[in-house]
């Protein structure tokens, strides 16, 4: 055999080997490529992590999260009610698991939330006689709570929803008359931000609320954020929760609000995105968690599946939302959906228990909705 022929055969072998390696690498890449990779140049793509992963150890769901998302938020496990025990102690079990998941997958891990009127016992604010404790006493409790949590996860949790839902939904959108507010006034907000910042100066601190893209509450949010900035409160971002419905609010309205928040020099996060498809038989803000209505089958029309025309309409709504978000990517840090697949969404039980909703990007079998393909196509 001549040298050149030998070379040729060796060359052919090498070519075969290289193409095999390429094919393997391609298969591996496919396995690891998800929404997060398509949007890598735009913003982070996040999801909320709930008990299915943390307590029920749902491996299918964890694998899906690792493939599709590069940011996580704890749905419940770092709220006061979950992380504190009745004896004023701590229960970090799920919180630690959540943070480990983020570290293992090199994710932008968000903490939720340091000061919120909900999922916190009255005993935090009241003495044995049922009267409010003093401003100083509440500040001390906040110091302990916030510095312990932020300190424990320093360097691992990169951003915190420092204060959640401080604006009321009623006429004129005043500040919510929560126990925090009743005792400390608006100072409870600056206090939460200041303590978080002192504990971890590198943490990105967010004010998070629902419906702040909508007229009335939007103006109230802008005014609040300006007041905080005037007091030099260390605030870096604003979280538009984005619990949307299939019919509203309009994309233009969401876009306008993103631009207004960005004008304040704040990074914008969509923190709890989902799109409700079920009939809204009430006229109330979608995320006020204490609201409940009675179940009737008329209020649960897609129990046995989503009709094709609704799936289409829903997919188009996701697409036009993301088109707008991509256009405004310079201002947007992260887009987080409130859960991974329809079966785990809070909306199945809110504000009516036991309905069948389709608000997320993955269905009950954990297969992508049509919307998913549209979001990928926007980036091709
Ligand atoms: O999704 C959360 C649900 O599992 C809890 O039961 C509920 C209790 O308040 O909180 C839900 O998450 C809320 C979030 O923490 C703040 N914004 C509104 C969300 C939906 O209610």
């Amino acid at each position: 055999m001549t040298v050149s022929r030998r070379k040729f055969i060796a060359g052919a072998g090498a070519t075969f080997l290289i193409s095999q390696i390429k094919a393997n690498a391609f298969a591996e890449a496919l396995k690891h490529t998800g929404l997060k990779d398509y949007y890598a140049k735009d913003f982070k793509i996040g999801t909320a992590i709930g008990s299915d992963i943390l307590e029920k150890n749902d491996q299918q769901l964890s694998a899906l999260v690792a493939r599709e998302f590069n940011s996580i938020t704890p749905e419940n496990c770092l709220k006061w009610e979950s992380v504190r025990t009745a004896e004023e102690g701590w229960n970090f079990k799920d919180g630690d698991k959540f943070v480990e998941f983020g570290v293992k997958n090199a994710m932008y891990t968000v903490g939720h939330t340091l000061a919120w009127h909900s999922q916190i016992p009255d005993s935090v604010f009241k003495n044995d006689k049922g009267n409010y404790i003093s401003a100083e006493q509440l500040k001390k409790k906040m110091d302990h709570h916030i510095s312990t949590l932020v300190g424990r996860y320093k360097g691992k949790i990169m951003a915190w929803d420092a204060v959640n839902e401080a604006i009321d939904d009623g006429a004129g959108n005043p500040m919510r008359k929560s126990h925090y507010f009743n005792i400390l006034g608006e100072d409870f907000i600056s206090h939460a931000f200041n303590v978080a910042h002192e504990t971890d100066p590198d943490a990105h601190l967010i004010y998070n609320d629902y419906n702040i893209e909508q007229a009335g509450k939007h103006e109230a949010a802008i005014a609040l954020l300006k007041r905080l900035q005037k007091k030099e409160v260390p605030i870096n971002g604003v979280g538009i929760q984005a619990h949307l419905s299939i019919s509203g609010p309009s994309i233009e309205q969401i876009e306008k609000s993103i631009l207004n928040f960005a004008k304040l020099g704040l990074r914008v996060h969509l923190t709890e995105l989902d799109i409700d498809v079920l009939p809204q038989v009430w006229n109330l803000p979608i995320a006020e968690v204490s609201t409940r209505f009675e179940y009737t089958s008329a209020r649960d029309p897609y129990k046995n599946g989503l009709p094709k025309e609704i799936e289409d309409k829903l997919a188009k709504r996701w697409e036009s939302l993301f088109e707008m978000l991509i256009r405004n990517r310079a201002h947007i840090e992260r887009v987080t959906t409130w859960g991974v697949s329809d079966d785990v969404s809070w909306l199945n039980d809110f504000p009516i228990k036991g309905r069948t909703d389709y608000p997320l990007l993955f269905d009950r079998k954990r297969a992508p909705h049509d919307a998913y393909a549209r979001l990928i196509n926007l980036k091709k």
Side-chain angles (χ1 to χ4, degrees):
M1 196 189 286
T2 61
V3 173
S4 61
R5 175 135 172 83
R6 221 182 293 138
K7 251 191 183 163
F8 175 76
I9 291 174
T15 311
F16 173 75
L17 202 68
I18 287 166
S19 63
Q20 190 57 44
I21 290 169
K22 272 191 184 162
N24 289 345
F26 186 61
E28 195 58 19
L30 271 188
K31 219 167 56 188
H32 294 295
T33 298
L35 212 52
K36 65 176 184 343
D37 306 290
Y38 286 90
Y39 283 83
K41 294 206 176 95
D42 302 289
F43 32 73
K44 295 164 191 92
I45 301 280
T47 188
I49 301 286
S51 58
D52 292 83
I53 289 183
L54 298 174
E55 279 154 32
K56 296 180 202 146
N57 230 347
D58 188 325
Q59 294 295 324
Q60 189 195 21
L61 212 56
S62 312
L64 194 56
V65 172
R67 193 186 69 205
E68 299 292 337
F69 301 94
N70 51 15
S71 175
I72 50 171
T73 307
E75 187 170 358
N76 287 302
C77 71
L78 291 183
K79 294 172 180 172
W80 190 298
E81 181 184 85
S82 317
V83 79
R84 302 298 293 268
T85 59
E87 307 83 45
E88 293 292 300
W90 296 85
N91 174 8
F92 293 119
K93 191 169 148 270
D94 287 353
D96 286 357
K97 230 173 155 184
F98 162 79
V99 171
E100 263 167 45
F101 187 88
V103 169
K104 191 173 127 211
N105 293 292
M107 287 167 156
Y108 183 76
T109 303
V110 180
H112 174 84
T113 170
L114 299 172
W116 187 29
H117 67 277
S118 184
Q119 288 182 282
I120 181 166
D122 275 2
S123 57
V124 173
F125 306 95
K126 293 183 175 170
N127 61 23
D128 295 346
K129 292 186 189 121
N131 300 322
Y132 274 142
I133 58 173
S134 71
E136 277 320 300
Q137 283 170 320
L138 180 56
K139 273 190 176 171
K140 260 201 190 138
K141 287 193 186 192
M142 290 178 74
D143 293 351
H144 172 60
H145 185 77
I146 295 173
S147 63
T148 306
L149 266 184
V150 176
R152 183 178 184 88
Y153 300 122
K154 194 170 172 168
K156 294 180 177 167
I157 286 190
M158 293 89 179
W160 278 96
D161 290 337
V163 173
N164 201 34
E165 305 175 0
I167 302 170
D168 197 80
D169 303 306
N173 299 98
M175 297 306 294
R176 184 188 294 279
K177 301 298 174 290
S178 65
H179 294 328
Y180 279 114
F181 184 88
N182 293 343
I183 298 173
L184 285 173
E186 204 169 290
D187 279 354
F188 93 86
I189 301 177
S190 26
H191 194 65
F193 276 93
N194 284 327
V195 179
H197 181 68
E198 277 156 27
T199 312
D200 182 359
D202 293 329
H204 179 99
L205 301 180
I206 299 165
Y207 174 75
N208 189 47
D209 211 334
Y210 59 87
N211 289 359
I212 52 170
E213 72 284 7
Q214 302 195 26
K217 207 160 173 184
H218 177 68
E219 287 70 29
I222 293 279
L224 168 65
L225 294 166
K226 282 186 175 167
R227 290 197 297 278
L228 296 177
Q229 289 183 321
K230 207 168 161 200
K231 286 199 276 178
E232 298 186 1
V233 171
I235 176 168
N236 309 102
V238 57
I240 301 174
Q241 289 188 4
H243 293 293
L244 311 178
S245 97
I246 194 162
S247 50
S250 73
I251 302 298
E252 294 70 36
Q253 197 168 350
I254 304 169
E255 181 167 29
K256 257 196 229 151
S257 75
I258 290 173
L259 292 169
N260 287 340
F261 289 132
K263 270 191 219 140
L264 299 180
L266 296 169
R267 298 292 293 159
V268 177
H269 302 243
L270 265 64
T271 52
E272 304 183 13
L273 172 62
D274 42 28
I275 305 185
D276 187 4
V277 301
L278 296 179
Q280 302 208 333
V281 282
W282 53 88
N283 183 23
L284 279 172
I286 187 163
E288 176 37 60
V289 288
S290 55
T291 319
R292 289 289 179 273
F293 290 87
E294 203 183 310
Y295 181 94
T296 64
S297 50
R299 289 172 175 177
D300 189 20
Y302 311 128
K303 206 170 160 35
N304 301 316
L306 202 56
K308 177 86 183 81
E309 72 269 19
I310 309 289
E311 177 85 25
D312 276 358
K313 194 175 164 198
L314 184 60
K316 283 184 191 137
R317 176 107 166 115
W318 279 96
E319 183 181 40
S320 47
L321 174 68
F322 270 69
E323 256 168 6
M324 180 277 285
L325 295 173
I326 293 168
R327 196 159 64 232
N328 291 289
R329 67 179 173 193
H331 310 302
I332 298 172
E333 186 66 32
R334 165 178 63 107
V335 177
T336 288
T337 59
W338 204 237
V340 182
S341 51
D342 293 337
D343 53 315
V344 303
S345 169
W346 71 294
L347 285 170
N348 295 310
D349 291 316
F350 175 87
I352 296 171
K353 208 163 167 45
R355 296 197 299 172
T356 305
D357 208 344
Y358 302 81
L360 295 167
L361 288 170
F362 297 90
D363 67 18
R364 283 171 170 73
K365 292 189 179 125
R366 277 70 191 274
H369 272 293
D370 290 357
Y372 179 90
R374 284 186 181 252
L375 301 195
I376 300 281
N377 275 336
L378 285 177
K379 297 307 302 176
K380 275 188 175 158

